[in-house]
């Protein structure tokens, strides 16, 4: 909470720490579950069970023997722990390795830690400070770096209230500190938190449990252990929009909780109104919790907003998330949290720009964060929930990392093919025809193939465990959209002047992509459909139908147009029968109807399209080489495509190298990737 009283911040932890005895006994040593999770085993006064065991309503046992301890670092506060991103988080305080504070072999703590030590850990952070927010000072701002060099009173881990305005975390990297008390709407925090909690009472704990079972494993931008430990103490410790966002997302899986299923759902609209109002307040004192709240609100089915996305990008830049924090003088666990959030913003911006047709706000020259790795995630398979309907934690970490890599490929394709300035594309096609465009996109095909080759087995679509949800679907759907945006651009550039053989080959490949995307959707199992699907999923499904509509509109015969009309009708029906209880599919159907509602597909488009009258079509048809030269130019392409189709025998169940990575089932086996080498072409 941004402006909680000093007593509400430190008293619970101080009291709990003061109560810890000095010797290792059953009352203070970690229980079996906390020992396996390697997490703090905290107990409330007069309670027999620890906080986590109480929250999950399970027995707190002490049967396992202590594990051999590894050598500890000199300072425990630099361990790789992470928090949920709110400034009032209170991870374990730093423990200096001295005789007085050595940790016994049974896992117990030494002497009690003063409450000031609990606070000092937060005081060292940039994005999680209790009472202060920090804004990055850019190189062109009013604060001249040379003048800042003359200031000797930089604080590195102060509390922001000692009169020092600046914090330098690395050479030429400085932040300006501001007190939370002097920001707009800071007095509304307590009221907003009370409103959020009143809306969901008494179902808050059940919703938090649902969120970490279903959403968090597939979109890991919070810290489950710390969040639950704080929540067990008081909801007052959170940022209002973040807490509301967790509740809102969890409500989509209301029926997956046996106790909640029989109760009436809270008012989601009232909760959303409170969350959005509170978000407008916290952006004036930006912290990592502000970014998390914005990202989670955007993940709601139908909650996608390009305007909110731009706000989240702006908050991230205020916090310096666009920079590589590796050399900064901040705790290691905050570095991992910053990398995860930076890449979450990157993906939100790039996919949002694609599906909304907007220019991206995140550029490679300005966003230079390090790539995220498994070391940046605080949880592992040991933190997984065993309840049915949960999602696998380890799979979620791999999914997040692999999606960042796919997003880089998609962003490059969008920048090349869909930038506002199409002069380069027009000049290329007018000079070399569609063959030149194929050569342009060939590097993208190579990157897609490498991406598929590197995909871990856990991310295969068939990797579904019994009574577990699987979110791999939205990763694969994102791949299909990446393919479609490339094929869509090529189909757009086929003109009457395109050699017939080349035109037929390109359209055949485009048709194959449409069929495979539709087959993928139709092969989704309930474990896939009921899992978490991120914000871009509804419009990604709509992209498939839009792409099919383009193939229908550019058909060369009535028979071809009828094929696509029926194919799209079947696709819509397959979505309609899957939409019940699957919110992202229902939103996708709405998106489809809104984008194509004025188009009558019962009337063949042949003879009705105005392709030849389009300015670019006239330009291309007047500049393309003569037909004979064009046929000679495409002869190698025809041979390569013919060999590829027949050598791999797609209809016989044989697939191109790498297909097994994205295989759905034995019946709908088709090749997703071509055998692209130095002399290869994009189309399989």
């Amino acid at each position: 909470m941004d402006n909680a009283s000093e007593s509400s911040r430190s008293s619970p932890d101080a009291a709990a720490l003061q109560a810890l005895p000095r010797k290792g006994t059953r009352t203070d040593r970690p229980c079996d579950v906390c020992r396996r999770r390697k997490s703090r085993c905290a107990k409330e006064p007069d309670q027999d069970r620890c906080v986590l065991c109480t929250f999950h309503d399970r027995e707190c046992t002490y049967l396992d023997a202590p594990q051999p301890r590894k050598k500890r670092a000199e300072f425990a506060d630099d361990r790789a722990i992470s928090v949920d991103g709110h400034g009032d988080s209170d991870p374990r305080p730093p423990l200096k390795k001295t005789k007085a504070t050595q940790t016994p072999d049974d896992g117990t703590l030494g002497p009690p830690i003063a409450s000031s030590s609990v606070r000092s850990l937060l005081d060292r952070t940039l994005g999680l400070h209790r009472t202060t927010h920090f804004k990055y000072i850019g190189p062109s701002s009013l604060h001249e770096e040379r003048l800042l060099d003359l200031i000797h009173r930089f604080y590195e881990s102060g509390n922001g209230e000692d009169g020092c305005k600046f914090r330098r975390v690395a050479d030429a990297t400085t932040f300006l500190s501001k007190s939370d008390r002097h920001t707009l709407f800071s007095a509304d925090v307590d009221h907003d938190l009370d409103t959020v909690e009143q809306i969901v009472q008494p179902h808050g704990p059940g919703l938090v449990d649902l969120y970490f079972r279903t959403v968090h494993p597939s979109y890991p931008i919070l810290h489950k252990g710390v969040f639950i430990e704080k929540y067990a103490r008081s909801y007052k410790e959170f940022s209002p929009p973040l807490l509301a966002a967790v509740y809102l997302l969890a409500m989509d899986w209301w029926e997956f909780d046996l106790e909640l299923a029989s109760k009436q759902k809270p008012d989601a609209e009232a909760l959303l109104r409170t969350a959005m109002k509170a978000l407008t307040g916290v952006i004036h004192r930006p912290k990592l919790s502000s970014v998390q709240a914005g990202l989670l609100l955007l993940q709601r089915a139908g909650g996608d907003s390009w305007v909110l996305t731009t706000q989240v990008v702006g908050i991230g830049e205020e916090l310096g998330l666009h920079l590589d924090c590796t050399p900064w003088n901040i705790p290691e666990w905050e570095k991992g949290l910053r990398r995860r959030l930076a890449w979450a913003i990157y993906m939100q911006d790039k996919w949002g720009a694609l599906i909304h047709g907007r220019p991206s706000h995140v550029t490679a020259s300005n966003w230079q964060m390090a790539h995220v790795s498994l070391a940046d995630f605080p949880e592992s398979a040991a933190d997984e929930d065993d309840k049915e309907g949960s999602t696998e934690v380890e799979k979620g970490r791999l999914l997040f990392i692999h999606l960042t890599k796919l997003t880089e490929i998609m962003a490059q394709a969008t920048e090349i093919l869909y930038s506002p300035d199409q002069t380069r594309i027009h000049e290329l096609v007018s000079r070399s025809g569609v063959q030149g465009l194929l050569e342009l996109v060939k590097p993208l095909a190579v990157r897609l193939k490498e991406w598929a080759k590197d995909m871990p087995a856990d991310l295969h679509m068939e990797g579904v465990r019994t009574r577990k949800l699987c979110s791999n679907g939205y990763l694969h759907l994102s791949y299909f959209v990446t393919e479609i945006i490339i094929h869509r651009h090529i189909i757009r550039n086929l003109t009457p002047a395109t050699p017939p053989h080349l035109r037929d080959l390109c359209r055949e490949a485009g048709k194959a992509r449409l069929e495979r995307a539709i087959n993928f959707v139709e092969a989704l199992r309930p474990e896939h459909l009921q899992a978490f699907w991120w914000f871009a999923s509804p419009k990604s499904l709509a992209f498939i139908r839009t792409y099919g509509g383009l193939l229908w509109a550019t058909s060369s015969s009535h028979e071809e147009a009828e094929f696509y009309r029926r194919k799209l009708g079947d696709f819509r029906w397959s979505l309609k029968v899957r939409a019940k209880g699957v919110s992202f599919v229902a939103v996708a159907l709405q998106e489809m109807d809104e984008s194509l509602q004025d188009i009558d597909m019962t009337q063949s488009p042949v003879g009705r399209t105005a392709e030849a009258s389009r300015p670019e079509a006239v330009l291309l048809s007047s500049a393309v080489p003569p037909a004979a030269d064009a046929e000679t130019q495409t002869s190698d392409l025809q041979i390569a495509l013919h060999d590829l189709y027949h050598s791999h025998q797609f209809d016989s169940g044989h697939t191109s190298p790498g297909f097994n990575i994205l295989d759905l089932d034995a019946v709908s086996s088709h090749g997703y990737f071509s055998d692209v080498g130095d002399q290869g072409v994009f189309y399989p």
Side-chain angles (χ1 to χ4, degrees), residues 464-679:
V464 179
R465 287 173 52 189
T466 303
R467 296 186 180 181
K468 288 284 187 178
L469 299 180
C470 179
S471 288
N472 292 351
Y474 81 83
L475 173 67
H476 292 257
L477 179 60
S478 300
Y479 163 76
F480 282 108
V481 172
T482 304
E483 266 201 337
I484 282 175
I485 64 175
I486 299 174
H487 285 265
R488 180 185 184 183
H489 192 80
I490 293 174
I491 296 297
R492 282 180 175 181
N493 282 277
L494 297 177
T495 70
T498 304
H501 296 296
L502 178 56
R503 179 185 177 89
D504 291 344
L505 287 168
C506 290
R507 290 190 63 82
E508 183 180 359
K511 173 185 175 182
R513 284 316 189 273
L514 175 67
E515 290 183 312
R516 289 164 193 161
I518 292 176
N519 288 341
F520 161 78
V521 175
E522 293 177 346
L524 291 173
R525 295 168 51 178
E527 293 88 343
H528 299 129
L529 291 169
Q530 295 294 333
F532 170 76
W533 291 73
W534 78 328
F535 82 102
S537 300
K539 281 188 169 65
S540 295
L541 290 175
F543 250 93
I544 297 175
R545 192 178 185 208
T546 297
Y547 175 61
L550 173 64
L551 291 171
W552 170 82
T554 55
S555 298
S556 58
S557 67
H558 297 295
E559 292 76 17
E560 184 183 15
E562 178 62 18
F563 169 82
Y564 288 118
R565 187 190 70 80
R566 286 188 285 103
K567 198 72 176 176
L568 293 177
D570 293 342
F571 178 58
R572 189 184 186 283
W573 171 253
S574 68
L575 292 179
K576 190 173 182 179
V577 298
R578 290 169 171 80
K580 182 66 173 178
V582 184
S583 55
F584 85 95
V585 176
V587 174
L589 284 170
Q590 182 180 353
E591 296 275 2
M592 292 178 185
D593 293 341
E594 290 178 355
S595 63
L596 298 175
Q597 63 181 352
D598 296 326
I599 301 175
D600 182 9
M601 285 192 172
T602 61
Q603 301 294 323
S604 174
V606 178
R608 296 195 296 130
T609 57
E611 180 181 27
S613 64
R614 294 172 58 198
E616 58 267 38
V618 174
L619 171 65
L620 298 178
S621 63
S622 63
V624 169
D629 294 338
E631 290 183 8
T632 301
Q633 186 181 29
T634 59
S635 60
D636 293 339
L637 176 65
Q638 290 177 261
I639 294 172
L641 289 171
H642 179 275
D643 291 343
L644 187 61
Y645 271 111
H646 292 278
S647 63
H648 292 306
Q649 300 176 4
F650 293 158
D651 294 335
S652 299
H654 296 76
T655 61
S656 59
F659 166 73
N660 61 318
I661 297 174
L662 293 178
D663 196 4
L664 297 174
D665 54 57
V667 177
S668 60
S669 294
H670 293 284
Y672 287 85
F673 297 95
S674 60
D675 188 11
V676 180
D678 294 337
Q679 304 299 322

Side-chain angles (χ1 to χ4, degrees), residues 16 51 185 192 252 270 326 332 550 627 647 650 660:
V51 171
F185 311 117
D192 290 340
D252 287 341
T326 303
E332 289 297 322
L550 173 64
S647 63
F650 293 158
N660 61 318

Side-chain angles (χ1 to χ4, degrees), residues 32-72:
D32 296 336
V33 173
C34 291
R35 186 190 298 277
R36 287 194 294 270
R37 291 168 57 94
K38 298 181 180 179
S39 63
R40 179 186 178 191
C41 188
K43 291 182 180 178
E44 297 290 342
D46 302 325
Q47 293 293 323
D48 295 330
R49 296 185 295 179
C50 69
V51 171
L52 289 179
C53 291
T54 301
F55 183 85
H56 291 288
D57 194 22
R58 60 192 173 202
E59 186 178 0
C60 209
T61 60
Y62 300 83
L63 303 177
D64 295 346
Q67 298 296 318
R69 299 189 61 80
K70 297 181 181 179
K71 185 178 180 180
R72 295 170 61 94

Side-chain angles (χ1 to χ4, degrees), residues 204-254:
L207 289 172
V208 169
D209 181 65
L210 264 180
Y211 173 85
F212 284 105
R213 285 168 48 199
T214 55
V215 179
H216 176 72
S218 304
Y219 197 66
I221 63 171
L222 302 182
H223 186 291
K224 178 180 178 180
V226 173
F227 190 103
I228 290 178
E229 183 176 333
K230 289 172 56 180
Y231 189 81
R233 289 196 300 267
S234 173
Y235 66 87
K236 291 281 191 178
E237 298 194 28
F238 294 96
S239 170
L242 177 58
L243 185 61
V246 168
Y247 287 153
L248 277 168
L249 284 176
M251 284 169 61
D252 287 341
W253 285 268
W254 183 268

Side-chain angles (χ1 to χ4, degrees), residues 261-575:
S262 60
K263 309 292 178 56
Q264 184 177 358
K265 275 189 180 182
D267 188 343
E269 291 188 6
L271 190 58
L272 178 59
R273 285 195 299 270
T274 303
M276 298 303 294
K277 172 183 173 294
L279 185 62
T280 62
V282 299
I283 62 176
H284 295 289
R285 46 189 179 277
K287 298 184 181 181
L288 298 184
S289 60
S290 310
V291 173
Q292 292 168 318
L295 289 172
L296 292 181
L297 288 171
L298 285 166
Q299 304 312 309
R300 297 176 302 108
D304 174 39
S305 165
W306 179 244
V307 174
L308 181 54
T309 298
T310 60
Q311 286 184 307
V312 172
V313 173
I315 297 172
E317 291 172 339
E318 286 274 83
L319 296 168
L321 291 178
H322 59 295
L323 304 175
D324 183 4
C325 63
T326 303
W328 291 5
N329 183 25
I330 60 175
E332 289 297 322
W333 52 265
E334 186 184 358
K335 294 179 183 179
L337 177 61
R338 282 177 166 269
R339 292 190 192 101
R340 300 202 313 274
L341 289 177
W343 279 101
I345 292 175
Y346 176 87
M347 294 189 290
Q348 190 75 34
D349 173 84
K350 294 301 182 182
W351 285 96
L354 170 69
I355 62 180
H356 290 287
R358 301 288 185 267
S360 169
H361 297 296
V362 174
T363 60
S365 59
N366 293 325
W367 282 70
Q368 300 178 342
M369 62 281 189
H371 281 86
V372 69
S373 66
L374 288 176
D376 294 319
F377 296 83
E379 293 144 8
S380 63
D383 300 283
E384 193 168 304
D385 198 309
D386 294 330
K387 292 182 180 179
E388 66 176 28
S390 302
T391 309
E392 299 170 65
V393 172
E394 188 67 22
K395 186 176 294 184
R397 298 195 305 169
L398 296 173
L399 188 155
F400 190 92
I401 293 174
H402 223 58
L403 184 59
T404 63
K405 298 176 181 178
L406 177 63
T407 302
E408 290 183 290
I409 302 174
M410 181 279 296
Q412 183 185 17
T414 305
E415 182 178 357
I416 292 174
L417 302 177
Y418 294 93
S419 64
D421 185 4
Q422 291 288 295
T423 303
R424 180 190 177 194
I425 297 293
H426 291 162
E427 290 178 350
L428 175 66
V429 178
S430 64
R431 182 176 63 253
S432 305
V434 176
Q435 175 70 33
L437 188 57
L438 297 179
E439 290 298 323
L440 178 66
V441 301
K442 185 167 66 175
L444 298 173
V446 174
R447 293 189 66 187
L448 279 173
K449 181 183 178 183
E450 291 301 318
W451 177 86
K453 185 187 301 182
D454 295 338
M455 180 182 287
D458 284 345
L459 298 183
H460 295 184
M461 288 301 294
E462 64 272 16
V464 179
R465 287 173 52 189
T466 303
R467 296 186 180 181
K468 288 284 187 178
L469 299 180
C470 179
S471 288
N472 292 351
Y474 81 83
L475 173 67
H476 292 257
L477 179 60
S478 300
Y479 163 76
F480 282 108
V481 172
T482 304
E483 266 201 337
I484 282 175
I485 64 175
I486 299 174
H487 285 265
R488 180 185 184 183
H489 192 80
I490 293 174
I491 296 297
R492 282 180 175 181
N493 282 277
L494 297 177
T495 70
T498 304
H501 296 296
L502 178 56
R503 179 185 177 89
D504 291 344
L505 287 168
C506 290
R507 290 190 63 82
E508 183 180 359
K511 173 185 175 182
R513 284 316 189 273
L514 175 67
E515 290 183 312
R516 289 164 193 161
I518 292 176
N519 288 341
F520 161 78
V521 175
E522 293 177 346
L524 291 173
R525 295 168 51 178
E527 293 88 343
H528 299 129
L529 291 169
Q530 295 294 333
F532 170 76
W533 291 73
W534 78 328
F535 82 102
S537 300
K539 281 188 169 65
S540 295
L541 290 175
F543 250 93
I544 297 175
R545 192 178 185 208
T546 297
Y547 175 61
L550 173 64
L551 291 171
W552 170 82
T554 55
S555 298
S556 58
S557 67
H558 297 295
E559 292 76 17
E560 184 183 15
E562 178 62 18
F563 169 82
Y564 288 118
R565 187 190 70 80
R566 286 188 285 103
K567 198 72 176 176
L568 293 177
D570 293 342
F571 178 58
R572 189 184 186 283
W573 171 253
S574 68
L575 292 179

